[in-house]
Amino acid sequence: MVRKTKEEAEKTRAEIIRAAREVFHENGVVRSSLEKIAKVAGVTRGAVYWHFADKAALFFAMREDVFAPMIERTDAILYDPAIANPLDAIERSVTEFFRVLSDCPVVRQVFEIMISRCEYVDEFASIQEEVGRPAFEFLNKIERMYGLAAEKGVLRAGIAPGEAARDTWAFTSGLLHLSLGCRANTGLEQQIPAMIRQHMALRRAVETPGF
């Protein structure tokens, strides 16, 4: 009985998160009410409050539901010991991120909510720093990898790891916004791997031809 109750609670929580994604995406976060989310989820408003303290808590749970497995997946590539060149690890990790974004509608939906449907006003005015935390964590990760690339001699001469990391950070952020803003069938998604590859090629050490 206890196990069944726990499973039912987990199922209800998952259904509330699914409903929140739908309502946030359709109406924008600020204009979405817990009452509306409860109705779409097929539960009472009290059930929503039983699982989540407020709308902000539900918002972050929705984000983590997608971000946690995404970060685990891309980090596994970024830190894969089988990838000897740190620049290869960065390229493959970023490419995988955009592949998942393209292939998984739920992931895309959450990123669209985060970027274009979340107004940082009212009760959300104080959480913008926390919303941006994963982006800064990404910056720190790739700066360490560029540092390793410099140590291994595979980073192009004259490029500082911190500068390379900030450039890739800005490139990735811009590509994400562009990807989410473009209409379907523009061909951008098919071009993204080549764009990432070219971006990383400009940071690779120039090989000296043999004589």
Side-chain angles (χ1 to χ4, degrees), residues 75-185:
D75 279 1
I77 297 172
L78 190 63
Y79 300 128
D80 186 349
I83 304 176
N85 188 330
L87 301 183
D88 290 340
I90 295 173
E91 180 177 326
R92 294 181 194 180
S93 179
V94 173
T95 300
E96 176 65 8
F97 169 83
F98 282 100
R99 188 196 67 77
V100 174
L101 183 70
S102 174
D103 292 349
C104 183
V106 170
V107 171
R108 185 179 182 90
Q109 186 179 49
V110 170
F111 273 95
E112 287 177 348
I113 292 168
M114 299 285 297
I115 290 175
S116 62
R117 291 169 174 79
C118 183
E119 309 90 334
Y120 297 104
V121 297
D122 298 336
E123 71 266 46
F124 278 73
S126 63
I127 68 168
Q128 192 166 9
E129 182 177 349
E130 170 59 23
V131 169
R133 177 180 54 80
F136 284 99
E137 290 177 347
F138 169 70
L139 173 61
N140 292 332
K141 291 172 185 176
I142 58 174
E143 184 169 359
R144 289 195 296 271
M145 297 304 289
Y146 274 119
L148 289 174
E151 292 175 10
K152 290 174 174 282
V154 295
L155 182 64
R156 183 182 291 267
I159 299 180
E163 293 173 354
R166 287 189 292 275
D167 189 33
T168 296
W169 184 51
F171 167 79
T172 305
S173 177
L175 191 55
L176 173 61
H177 282 74
L178 185 61
S179 176
L180 295 177
C182 283
R183 291 179 296 176
N185 302 320

Side-chain angles (χ1 to χ4, degrees), residues 19-29 31-32 36 40 109 112-113 116-117 119:
R21 282 200 311 269
E22 180 180 326
V23 175
F24 288 159
H25 193 266
E26 181 179 351
N27 303 305
V29 176
R31 292 186 296 276
S32 297
K36 174 64 174 176
V40 172
Q109 186 179 49
E112 287 177 348
I113 292 168
S116 62
R117 291 169 174 79
E119 309 90 334

Side-chain angles (χ1 to χ4, degrees), residues 12 16 34-35 37-39 41-51:
T12 298
I16 293 170
L34 293 180
E35 288 86 354
I37 292 170
K39 182 178 180 181
V43 301
T44 65
R45 189 168 182 267
V48 175
Y49 275 115
W50 192 85
H51 287 277

